[in-house]
Amino acid sequence: MSVSIALFTADLRLHDNPVLRAAQRDADEVVPLFVRDEGVRAAGFDAPNRRAFLADCLHDLDAGLRARGGRLVVREGDAVAETCRVAHATGARDVHVAADVSGFAHRRERRLREALEADGRRLHVHDAVTCVLAPGAVTPQGKDHFAVFTPYFRRWEGERPRDVLPAPRAVSVPESAESGALPARSDVADVSPRLAPGGEDEGRERFRRWTSDGVDAYEDRHDDLPGDATSRLSPHLHFGTLSATELVARSRSRGGAGAEAFVRQLAWRDFHRQVLAARPAASYADYRTRHDSWRRDERAATAWREGRTGYPVIDAAMRQLREEGWMHNRARLLTASFLTKTLYVDWRVGARHFLDLLVDGDIANNQLNWQWTAGTGTDTRPNRVLNPLTQAKRFDPDGGYVRRYVPELAATDALRGGRVHTPWKLPAEERRALDYPEPIVDLTDGLNRFRVARGLD
């Protein structure tokens, strides 16, 4: 009996998984393998929220495989060493894995290829598993990647993605493939109290519900902070419990302005991946330097992390992040702009905090969105500053979002409606009764400081 290995990484699903299908096509039996890679922990990316969500995903993947006659093989240690051990124990000649764009993934792929080939085995890397179009699938003339989203999207939109693959009906796993225990969410400490559940079944059901009652209004409501009208599918895309290719196909089949706006967001995800693939250093260095001399203000950074800046919409967003391990996309833009431009603190400080808490903490999306907002990335208007009061009036006009996450303001009758965004305007006696800080910075002062730092004045 011939054996191949399907090495799961950020593609924890059975539906539309080219890695698993190719491994099955190659051999009589397949080892569905996931390695809890000690390198992820050593690199500081093994955050509690992602570890808990991952545990859900692995349990769900194992259940789906068992329903088809198979099982998930879980190992722990160095991904390369453990994969080679499984290959040796089962006699697998071929290992299949999804391509990825981070420096960590590239190093793992190179090491794995060298180790397998030294032992007479083969590595097959599959593109367009964790994205719709592989990095480099479309490029501008004479360049290796698009640096601006709009021309990229025009090309992206005109390409035909690969066909969506059905889930396998049966999976046959060799008995010689030994597995460790599945991790459990309950074993993970310091998890956000309202972290959403993970797993392919959960992701598919969430997409089904959102498609039936949310996507049609997405174009008009995706920035509505209290309405919470986004899909909340980003964790499932990060872990690959949902296929971006399938989401695009199903959204285009449904049609309408909302579905088209959603597809555009999926294109943004591919855009960032092709930027990082071409410029790996953008995960830690400015993509386009503005020669910033960032302020080292730990007091301000701590107030921002804790949701105690004195600007309610900013604080609500930061508390949502800690409570749910997720943050509304409009709120991500506001909090990033506030840190980097109003407080003039290095974008890497914010990006690190987001990676510590976000269940969808993805190097390409997180780092490049932070750079976009900081003006060191691909934004064609690098010096734009988002005023939190103006943004709050527009996207949280009645203060529902703030009251949901900042309870000390929700309990004050004098802060009904939009007045919740300016608690400093309360009469002095009522203001003193609030356990809520004064604004950490005057917005005009912050704007002037930023403009001077960037040489705009």
Side-chain angles (χ1 to χ4, degrees):
M1 298 284 283
S2 59
V3 178
S4 64
I5 294 174
L7 178 58
F8 287 90
T9 52
D11 55 334
L12 303 179
R13 63 181 184 270
L14 298 179
H15 292 81
D16 192 40
N17 192 326
V19 170
L20 180 59
R21 293 304 292 251
Q24 284 191 298
R25 189 169 57 245
D26 264 5
D28 301 309
E29 294 181 315
V30 62
V31 181
L33 174 65
F34 182 84
V35 180
R36 299 176 65 189
D37 194 344
E38 62 186 16
V40 174
R41 190 177 304 116
F45 294 116
D46 192 29
N49 284 338
R50 291 194 293 281
R51 193 159 69 245
F53 196 90
L54 171 63
D56 291 349
C57 295
L58 296 179
H59 275 273
D60 186 82
L61 182 57
D62 181 61
L65 287 164
R66 289 182 183 277
R68 292 162 171 82
R71 59 191 169 91
L72 181 65
V73 175
V74 177
R75 304 292 283 264
E76 184 168 2
D78 176 69
V80 173
E82 291 303 318
T83 302
C84 290
R85 288 190 183 101
V86 172
H88 181 76
T90 61
R93 308 304 302 174
D94 296 275
V95 175
H96 296 261
V97 70
D100 209 338
V101 297
S102 71
F104 179 87
H106 286 163
R107 290 188 294 273
R108 179 182 60 199
E109 179 188 318
R110 182 177 62 253
R111 291 175 53 231
L112 183 56
R113 185 182 301 281
E114 291 171 355
L116 289 171
E117 289 180 350
D119 202 26
R121 308 178 199 277
R122 295 178 295 266
L123 178 66
H124 306 271
V125 180
H126 299 268
D127 288 328
V129 178
T130 62
C131 52
V132 182
L133 292 187
V138 293
T139 57
Q141 188 173 6
K143 297 181 180 179
D144 60 356
H145 74 291
F146 279 93
V148 178
F149 175 72
T150 300
Y152 172 79
F153 181 59
R154 292 195 197 102
R155 289 283 302 279
W156 185 94
E157 200 173 27
E159 294 291 312
R160 178 183 174 181
R162 61 169 177 78
D163 293 337
V164 175
L165 302 170
R169 295 181 179 179
V171 179
S172 179
V173 180
E175 292 183 5
S176 56
E178 296 182 358
S179 176
L182 288 167
R185 175 187 277 232
S186 58
D187 293 335
V188 184
D190 300 320
V191 176
S192 291
R194 292 180 56 199
L195 182 72
E200 182 176 11
D201 282 351
E202 174 67 25
R204 295 185 74 81
E205 174 59 20
R206 179 175 286 277
F207 180 66
R208 185 199 64 77
R209 291 196 308 266
W210 188 70
T211 300
S212 65
D213 63 17
V215 70
D216 289 340
Y218 181 70
E219 183 181 37
D220 295 328
R221 298 191 58 212
H222 68 275
D223 281 326
D224 178 0
L225 287 170
D228 197 13
T230 66
S231 70
R232 286 189 177 242
L233 295 175
S234 54
H236 294 281
L237 286 163
H238 174 66
F239 284 91
T241 55
L242 288 177
S243 157
T245 300
E246 183 179 2
L247 297 192
V248 167
R250 292 177 62 181
S251 297
R252 284 175 169 169
S253 177
R254 181 181 181 85
E260 291 173 5
F262 178 61
V263 167
R264 185 179 175 90
Q265 292 304 309
L266 294 171
W268 266 106
R269 184 172 177 271
D270 276 10
F271 172 74
H272 285 147
R273 295 175 77 82
Q274 58 96 41
V275 172
L276 188 62
R279 299 290 183 272
S283 64
Y284 58 86
D286 289 350
Y287 177 77
R288 289 173 174 152
T289 184
R290 305 297 172 190
H291 304 289
D292 289 294
S293 297
W294 301 106
R295 295 172 61 240
R296 297 180 181 274
D297 189 339
E298 187 53 36
R299 183 185 71 88
T302 298
W304 177 83
R305 292 188 194 100
E306 294 177 351
R308 299 280 295 175
T309 68
Y311 289 95
V313 72
I314 301 299
D315 295 341
M318 298 306 296
R319 297 186 196 188
Q320 180 184 28
L321 174 60
R322 188 165 295 279
E323 186 174 327
E324 300 177 9
W326 185 87
M327 189 193 289
H328 191 290
N329 186 58
R330 172 55 54 174
R332 297 187 198 203
L333 294 175
L334 296 183
T335 54
S337 175
F338 188 83
L339 182 72
T340 60
K341 291 176 174 172
T342 303
L343 296 178
Y344 198 52
V345 170
D346 195 332
W347 64 267
R348 281 157 282 243
V349 172
R352 178 70 261 175
H353 182 68
F354 271 32
L355 283 178
D356 286 344
L357 289 174
L358 281 175
V359 65
D360 60 16
D362 178 271
I363 289 294
N365 279 341
N366 187 67
Q367 309 302 84
L368 290 170
N369 270 317
W370 266 96
Q371 290 223 48
W372 188 94
T373 311
T376 63
T378 62
D379 188 5
T380 55
R381 292 172 54 199
N383 298 313
R384 80 176 83 201
V385 177
L386 300 180
N387 182 302
L389 297 182
T390 303
Q391 294 279 307
K393 284 182 180 179
R394 183 175 178 186
F395 300 116
D396 188 28
D398 296 322
Y401 181 71
V402 165
R403 274 183 281 275
R404 186 179 304 155
Y405 295 105
V406 189
E408 62 267 40
L409 299 182
T412 304
D413 287 343
L415 294 177
R416 291 176 182 169
R419 287 176 290 181
V420 76
H421 294 300
T422 52
W424 55 85
K425 292 184 178 180
L426 285 172
E429 186 175 341
E430 293 180 59
R431 180 70 189 89
R432 284 193 295 270
L434 278 181
D435 179 23
Y436 187 72
E438 294 293 325
I440 195 170
V441 64
D442 179 83
L443 295 180
T444 300
D445 291 345
L447 177 61
N448 290 338
R449 178 174 57 200
F450 172 72
R451 290 184 61 81
V452 169
R454 283 275 170 96
L456 303 175
D457 283 346

